[in-house]
Amino acid sequence: MTEVKTQEGVLPTKELYHPNIGSYQQAYKESIEKPEEFWSKQAQVLDWHRRWDKVLDESDAPFYKWFVNGKINASYNAVDRHVLRNKRNKAAYIWVAENGDEKIITYDGLYRRVNNFAKALLELGIKKGDRIIIYLPMILEAPVAMLAAARIGAVFSFVFAGFGAGALAERINDSKATMVITADGAFRNGKVVKLKSIVDEAIEQTSTVRTVVVVERTKIDVQMEEGRDIWWHIVTRDSHAYVEPEWMDSNDPLYILYTSGTTGKPKGAVHGNGGYSVWIANTLKWAFDPEDDDRWWCAADIGWVTGHSYIVFAPLFLGLTSIMYEGAITFPAPDRMWEIIDRYRVNILYTSPTAIRTLMRYGEKYPKMHDLSSLKVLGTVGEPINPAAWKWYYENIGKSNCPIIDTYWQTETGGFMISPSLSLGLPPLKPGSATFPMPGIDPVILDDKGNEVPNEEKGFIAYKRPWPGMFLTLNNDPERFKKTYFEKYKGMYYCGDYAIRDKDGYYWLLGRADEVLNVAGHRLGTIEIEDALIASREVAESAVFGKPDPVKGEVIVAFVVLKEEFEHDRDIVTNLRKRIREDLGPIYVPEEIHLVKLLPKTRSGKIMRRVVKAVALKQLPGDISTLENSVSVDEIKAAIESFRKEAGD
Ligand code: PRX
């Protein structure tokens, strides 16, 4: 028996997962020493219309080009080739509605729906290179829309359906999208979220949208604007459509996905066709080793990169059967996930530490209500997993039989960067460590000056060489792409995370090193929230930071200075919350909003978020010699005390 060491003691793992690290090391070595040969081989996991001339062109670094002059189509690889070979009747998705209804769609069914909607897109005037926004809940039309766009070479940008009108408008404007695909509403926690009316509100702040396609999901009343809005079921009436896939250059964009950075403006990460597809198909195989007959459940939302790569493209490229669940994981009861695993005999579950901690809070009673014996492998993503949650997941869900694949990666990286590799050779697992780099990934941990730090010391993680899944650029902002990611360390990709490598070479990811928050696995920018607060007519200044939270990892705390003419009162706080909810979306709403009279600032007038956070969290502020007015520090302390009293803490 292998031993798994955790801070809480030693966990036994079954002989079945006896480490076989040797073959991983061999694959890794080959990927680093002979990258051209290695990637040429890996690229064959997909069907190419034209083979590439060169694996990697670095001449315009950091705008790296993978599989130069290769021609490929993501929708062809996701559906056509399975229909043409032997997977026509295999389930592509088992879709479970929040009310428990199910729909099973085969590869042939998906192929037909994709063609159908691709034809509709063409008829609505969308061509190769056009930008379209997809703002849909977890329904089957979401992958269909993504694949249909990919089929005709239109560049889609999926906006998570939990975002508010302001956030949606910003993404429409930045991408200059001419079409929005949405639904009348979405079911969430037994309630309806009125998506179409959010779209209507967002479009008022934009000027490029000509068409809105609306899926009828909830049957709530919606306003359909004559000449602009059209129902999905009307445009897809021709059920015999076939659209020849547009053979895309490997380095043509496939999609844009916005993610938060250190300014108020989200960054539009642009992913390409060839390198990205090769990367995600291989990383899924390496990390999780799915077998043909397995049922794979990536329980993320399709609107985030995890959903793009591992609900839509990679599992379809590999011809797998995925579970797709529409609703909240605690609805109608906290056994929802366990019930789905039991009902569909799910083999691999991939979810977030926040989901695990949320369900763990309800206790073992819920997983015990169901037969989870079909599970073979478990995975996590999005934030560091604490050993206690790891252990709970391992014992109560995996019944000490399933390895936990902790995948560390980012929107920008397209797919897993650091993760145990089940198919190549699983290392002994250490709860909380994402273990070792994927083949082709060459990480290094550096100090601020670019010197490599010794093992066991915290530093910034960077990557010494490009990999196929990396984003091509930032939409409309190649300068920001270079500056944000490639300037801190020359010739390397800097990703904004702290990490440690331990004496056994394991990587431990320690969270963001910048002003970016990770709330329940969602990446949010502090400045975005501050900007939204300042946009309220009452607010003069604000400072936002993340406070550690046992379930969500971090929660948002805001300190706000009102303009002089406004009195401090609770209604203002309620209104601020409401405005953030409507503008940015519910995930951005601060857990705490404190009204204060002053914020600590440097002599040059910059708000010292670090000091606000340190005082609020009762950690000693660092150097406060540059503070303009130390009164505000006391006031922040007083605000916290009074909030704690009011909250009955
Ligand atoms: O800080 C890291 C954290 O999430 C960030 C990326 O967020 P996003 O682009 O939204 O993508 C999330 C899904 C891939 C990273 O910079 N992160 C992600 N996975 C892990 C993680 N931190 C620790 N362990 C992980 N497994």
Side-chain angles (χ1 to χ4, degrees):
M1 274 230 177
T2 325
E3 279 189 348
V4 174
K5 288 204 175 65
T6 85
Q7 285 169 9
E8 283 108 5
V10 173
L11 303 177
T13 55
K14 272 212 161 171
E15 209 51 36
L16 180 62
Y17 295 113
H18 188 83
N20 177 25
I21 185 89
S23 48
Y24 157 79
Q25 278 159 345
Q26 205 181 328
Y28 184 76
K29 190 162 174 272
E30 190 194 334
S31 75
I32 298 296
E33 287 173 3
K34 296 181 186 153
E36 295 264 329
E37 283 168 37
F38 182 81
W39 288 116
S40 280
K41 228 181 337 175
Q42 305 309 324
Q44 286 161 26
V45 69
L46 299 172
D47 286 4
W48 292 78
H49 187 64
R50 181 189 187 279
R51 198 185 153 91
W52 54 94
D53 296 328
K54 194 169 180 217
V55 169
L56 172 64
D57 174 3
E58 301 189 74
S59 59
D60 191 22
F63 301 96
Y64 298 99
K65 291 184 184 56
W66 284 88
F67 306 108
V68 181
N69 295 331
K71 298 261 186 264
I72 194 163
N73 183 283
S75 108
Y76 180 88
N77 275 285
V79 288
D80 299 42
R81 61 181 190 144
H82 303 308
V83 170
L84 294 169
R85 291 180 199 154
N86 56 359
K87 290 191 171 157
R88 201 157 81 94
N89 296 322
K90 179 173 177 177
Y93 289 109
I94 299 174
W95 176 81
V96 187
E98 199 181 63
N99 70 4
D101 285 354
E102 71 172 37
K103 269 188 207 162
I104 298 179
I105 184 167
T106 60
Y107 273 90
D108 183 58
L110 189 59
Y111 167 81
R112 285 185 290 107
R113 291 178 73 162
V114 168
N115 273 288
N116 218 329
F117 192 60
K119 182 160 180 223
L121 288 176
L122 292 173
E123 285 175 357
L124 291 166
I126 300 295
K127 339 174 271 305
K128 178 179 177 183
D130 286 354
R131 310 294 182 75
I132 64 183
I133 292 275
I134 306 177
Y135 183 64
L136 283 173
M138 290 284 288
I139 55 178
L140 287 170
E141 284 79 358
V144 170
M146 293 159 89
L147 294 169
R151 190 169 194 88
I152 65 165
V155 180
F156 68 84
S157 183
F158 205 117
V159 179
F160 169 56
F163 279 127
L168 177 58
E170 178 152 33
R171 287 154 175 78
I172 294 173
N173 286 329
D174 189 78
S175 64
K176 301 194 177 64
T178 54
M179 176 185 274
V180 177
I181 301 164
T182 190
D184 51 358
F187 290 113
R188 193 81 197 169
N189 276 312
K191 298 196 198 88
V192 171
V193 183
K194 295 179 182 165
L195 294 184
K196 174 62 168 60
S197 58
I198 298 174
V199 170
D200 292 340
E201 202 189 320
I203 289 180
E204 279 174 25
Q205 306 164 44
T206 67
S207 58
T208 52
V209 176
R210 294 193 315 262
T211 315
V212 179
V213 179
V214 187
V215 178
E216 189 175 49
R217 169 66 192 127
T218 58
K219 298 202 162 57
I220 54 168
D221 271 347
V222 291
Q223 296 273 359
M224 294 293 278
E225 195 182 298
E226 187 69 43
R228 187 195 72 182
D229 302 352
I230 185 154
W231 290 103
W232 174 289
H233 55 266
I234 304 286
V235 296
T236 53
R237 264 187 308 207
D238 173 7
S239 56
H240 289 80
Y242 171 74
V243 173
E244 177 73 20
E246 183 75 44
W247 298 107
M248 304 295 285
D249 186 273
S250 172
N251 293 288
D252 278 340
L254 172 63
Y255 67 76
I256 304 170
L257 184 56
Y258 288 86
T259 187
S260 295
T262 50
T263 72
K265 199 171 151 20
K267 303 180 281 193
V270 181
H271 277 292
N273 278 270
Y276 170 78
S277 299
V278 168
W279 181 243
I280 60 170
N282 280 292
T283 49
L284 178 56
K285 252 183 357 159
W286 291 330
F288 287 95
D289 195 20
E291 288 176 83
D292 199 43
D293 208 28
D294 280 347
R295 287 182 175 175
W296 158 257
W297 185 11
C298 168
D301 192 285
I302 221 164
W304 304 100
V305 73
T306 309
H308 282 53
S309 295
Y310 299 108
I311 298 176
V312 182
F313 292 109
L316 294 175
F317 290 159
L318 299 182
L320 300 177
T321 298
S322 283
I323 304 290
M324 186 172 155
Y325 172 54
E326 178 182 40
I329 56 168
T330 47
F331 186 87
D335 68 331
R336 189 14 87 86
M337 285 187 86
W338 321 133
E339 184 244 325
I340 290 177
I341 290 168
D342 188 356
R343 195 186 334 160
Y344 297 103
R345 313 304 299 143
V346 173
N347 305 101
I348 312 177
L349 172 66
Y350 180 43
T351 187
S352 68
T354 290
I356 297 161
R357 291 189 295 256
T358 303
L359 298 171
M360 178 176 154
R361 280 210 155 176
Y362 291 98
E364 281 113 63
K365 168 173 139 212
Y366 290 99
K368 278 206 181 116
M369 287 158 62
H370 299 282
D371 176 2
L372 305 181
S373 61
S374 56
L375 286 172
K376 300 193 299 192
V377 187
L378 301 173
T380 76
V381 59
E383 34 175 339
I385 181 162
N386 52 309
W390 196 103
K391 188 165 178 260
W392 188 84
Y393 194 32
Y394 183 78
E395 288 175 353
N396 292 286
I397 309 307
K399 312 291 179 195
S400 305
N401 266 329
C402 307
I404 294 182
I405 308 297
D406 177 357
T407 63
Y408 162 78
W409 57 297
Q410 303 178 300
T411 303
E412 294 89 336
T413 71
F416 314 147
M417 296 294 274
I418 300 186
S419 163
S421 301
L422 186 56
S423 76
L424 298 177
L426 191 73
L429 300 174
K430 298 190 190 187
S433 166
T435 74
F436 296 102
M438 290 269 106
I441 298 302
D442 199 358
V444 60
I445 302 183
L446 303 169
D447 67 14
D448 219 15
K449 296 196 185 66
N451 302 314
E452 203 165 335
V453 303
N455 284 347
E456 312 273 322
E457 255 178 49
K458 179 171 164 179
F460 303 97
I461 185 160
Y463 299 91
K464 291 197 272 190
R465 60 174 78 211
W467 66 97
M470 70 194 297
F471 59 145
L472 304 178
T473 186
L474 290 178
N475 189 48
N476 288 339
D477 214 345
E479 277 311 308
R480 190 175 176 192
F481 172 75
K482 283 201 270 186
K483 199 160 164 257
T484 312
Y485 301 102
F486 299 95
E487 260 176 24
K488 189 171 168 86
Y489 302 119
K490 228 171 160 35
M492 292 187 212
Y493 170 73
Y494 168 64
C495 67
D497 280 311
Y498 285 124
I500 280 184
R501 192 178 40 230
D502 72 15
K503 59 178 179 353
D504 302 322
Y506 284 64
Y507 287 84
W508 299 75
L509 285 308
L510 305 173
R512 301 291 308 183
D514 52 15
E515 315 266 85
V516 170
L517 306 178
N518 191 332
V519 178
H522 298 140
R523 179 166 157 192
L524 314 175
T526 46
I527 319 281
E528 285 171 89
I529 307 167
E530 289 176 2
D531 284 356
L533 285 164
I534 293 166
S536 305
R537 69 191 178 98
E538 303 93 338
V539 176
E541 290 174 334
S542 79
V544 167
F545 61 88
K547 179 174 119 175
D549 181 82
V551 174
K552 294 181 175 175
E554 268 183 322
V555 291
I556 305 166
V557 177
F559 280 81
V560 170
V561 179
L562 297 181
K563 290 182 186 150
E564 259 174 36
E565 61 268 35
F566 293 98
E567 294 280 329
H568 283 196
D569 72 45
R570 294 228 125 225
D571 287 349
I572 290 192
V573 172
T574 312
N575 287 339
L576 290 177
R577 279 179 196 283
K578 186 164 171 274
R579 250 173 269 144
I580 292 185
R581 175 181 297 274
E582 286 168 3
D583 188 22
L584 295 176
I587 49 172
Y588 280 88
V589 177
E591 185 99 346
E592 300 174 14
I593 298 183
H594 304 284
L595 301 179
V596 290
K597 291 213 175 61
L598 280 170
L599 283 169
K601 285 189 198 157
T602 59
R603 296 214 188 279
S604 60
K606 224 175 135 219
I607 294 172
M608 297 185 80
R609 199 180 291 107
R610 180 178 58 82
V611 174
V612 181
K613 179 172 179 173
V615 174
L617 300 182
K618 293 205 166 88
Q619 296 157 346
L620 269 187
D623 176 19
I624 54 168
S625 57
T626 49
L627 284 192
E628 190 177 273
N629 191 338
S630 61
V631 169
S632 54
V633 173
D634 292 334
E635 199 184 338
I636 290 164
K637 278 187 187 153
I640 297 264
E641 285 314 314
S642 85
F643 178 85
R644 292 229 162 91
K645 274 192 206 119
E646 279 177 35
D649 194 6

